[in-house]
Amino acid sequence: MRSDVTLRRLDEGLLEDLLDAAVADADPLEVMPPVAGPDGWNGERRAAFFRFHRSRSLSAEPVESTYAIVVGDAVVGAARLCPLEGPRHAVEAGVWIGRSHRGGGVGGAVLHQLLVLARADGFHSLFVSTTSDNAANQRVLTAMGVDLVREGDSVTAWVDLVAAGQG
Ligand SMILES: CC(C)(COP(=O)(O)OP(=O)(O)OC[C@H]1O[C@@H](n2cnc3c(N)ncnc32)[C@H](O)[C@@H]1OP(=O)(O)O)[C@@H](O)C(=O)NCCC(=O)NCCS
């Protein structure tokens, strides 16, 4: 497991660095909900990126916790934990990593740290949702021994945070 990967709670300073990483190294659709208009990182999408994170994570009543993924001292992506409604005490995890940092073990290290954070926050299970064509995301999960549920193009996984030995 890589030891040079850290998660830092998002703040306004890190948000600027996160946008720079996204613009340089990721597609808008990989990092935030779709914004209408021509492809690419135009001014509207950059503003939408700020609005998205400020409303969800940096507001007075945040709906999720977002972390900048830092490798060495460079921001390379984002990870989030979003509590889910219902009796399971569950939280949904999401991750994106800049293209030039993918495939080098960062994703595995991030998921491991998200499990630790979610458990420390008192959640009982962690939910991950992805698509059947996202081999890297599925591999990160199966490498941790997590069972995947496939339904059409959808692939989901529940990680038990209470069971001994997980994470
Ligand atoms: C999905 C993602 C977070 C994975 O992070 P990563 O740092 O690339 O993953 P890792 O390097 O830790 O690789 C994990 C495993 O996936 C494998 N892998 C990586 N990229 C792969 C690819 N394109 N195809 C198949 N396997 C791949 C690695 O070999 C590794 O397997 P191993 O443990 O057997 O060695 C990252 O690729 C990403 O940000 N993708 C774009 C955004 C995205 O899809 N987010 C998830 C939305 S649900």
Side-chain angles (χ1 to χ4, degrees):
M1 183 76 64
R2 286 181 65 149
S3 59
D4 58 342
V5 179
T6 53
L7 298 185
R8 289 200 202 140
R9 191 70 179 252
L10 194 66
D11 59 23
E12 281 291 336
L14 286 168
L15 182 57
E16 300 269 351
D17 295 341
L18 191 58
L19 176 64
D20 289 346
V23 169
D25 219 12
D27 188 274
L29 281 175
E30 292 174 327
V31 308
M32 67 178 181
V35 174
D39 289 349
W41 279 108
N42 56 26
E44 201 171 327
R45 286 211 177 81
R46 290 170 195 239
F49 184 88
F50 282 136
R51 276 198 306 277
F52 175 69
H53 285 299
R54 286 184 178 133
S55 66
R56 294 191 64 85
S57 305
L58 302 178
S59 67
E61 292 185 15
V63 296
E64 64 186 2
S65 302
T66 301
Y67 302 86
I69 301 169
V70 180
V71 175
D73 50 16
V75 172
V76 306
R80 67 190 182 90
L81 288 174
C82 182
L84 297 175
E85 298 286 332
R88 295 180 78 151
H89 299 296
V91 66
E92 179 170 2
V95 181
W96 67 264
I97 294 163
R99 277 181 220 102
S100 61
H101 294 273
R102 292 177 197 164
V106 176
V110 168
L111 186 60
H112 179 80
Q113 292 185 40
L114 286 178
L115 294 181
V116 172
L117 286 166
R119 190 182 287 122
D121 282 346
F123 292 104
H124 293 182
S125 56
L126 181 133
F127 176 70
V128 180
S129 172
T130 188
T131 49
S132 56
D133 58 356
N134 195 329
N137 209 12
Q138 292 170 57
R139 182 64 202 136
V140 169
L141 291 161
T142 54
M144 297 186 71
V146 178
D147 291 332
L148 304 181
V149 178
R150 300 173 191 280
E151 285 178 36
D153 287 343
S154 150
V155 178
T156 56
W158 288 94
V159 184
D160 184 350
L161 300 175
V162 179
Q166 286 280 13

